[in-house]
Amino acid sequence: MVLSILLFVEFSKVMARGQQKIQAQQKNAKKQAELKKGGTDQKKSAQAALTVKCSVCMTQMSDLKTYRQHFDSKHSKQPLPPELTAGSSS
């Protein structure tokens, strides 16, 4: 009698998670299928947006304005690189 109750309790624990497990597997399968189709990859698109590289520390930035701010704050004692001096408006 006690053994059957314990087995029932263990079985009910497995069954309670069974539906969630099936749903998680279906969700994961759908996600994997979308990735195989060629969905957007955030890392690749973010890397493509970084077009400017700091000549001192090699940090990548998205535009010259950000590069100028970075250079002024991080490398203020260094002379401005040519790509910033050519387009300086200040």
Side-chain angles (χ1 to χ4, degrees):
M1 174 90 172
V2 174
L3 182 62
S4 63
I5 292 173
L6 287 176
L7 288 175
F8 177 74
V9 170
E10 290 300 316
F11 182 72
S12 65
K13 286 181 184 176
V14 172
M15 291 304 291
R17 290 279 300 155
Q19 183 65 23
Q20 291 173 338
K21 180 181 175 183
I22 292 169
Q23 289 173 345
Q25 287 173 342
Q26 290 172 345
K27 184 179 176 183
N28 189 30
K30 182 179 177 184
K31 186 176 178 181
Q32 293 300 325
E34 287 179 9
L35 287 176
K36 282 187 178 180
K37 281 196 286 185
T40 60
D41 186 10
Q42 289 181 343
K43 285 185 181 180
K44 287 182 182 176
S45 58
Q47 189 65 30
L50 301 175
T51 57
V52 181
K53 187 182 278 189
C54 177
S55 59
V56 177
C57 64
M58 298 301 167
T59 302
Q60 294 180 327
M61 285 149 272
S62 58
D63 56 6
L64 286 175
K65 182 179 178 184
T66 307
Y67 182 23
R68 176 69 182 240
Q69 291 172 346
H70 163 80
F71 206 88
D72 289 341
S73 66
K74 302 293 182 184
H75 314 295
S76 58
K77 295 181 180 178
Q78 301 279 335
L80 283 176
E83 57 266 19
L84 289 179
T85 55
S88 71
S89 59
S90 54

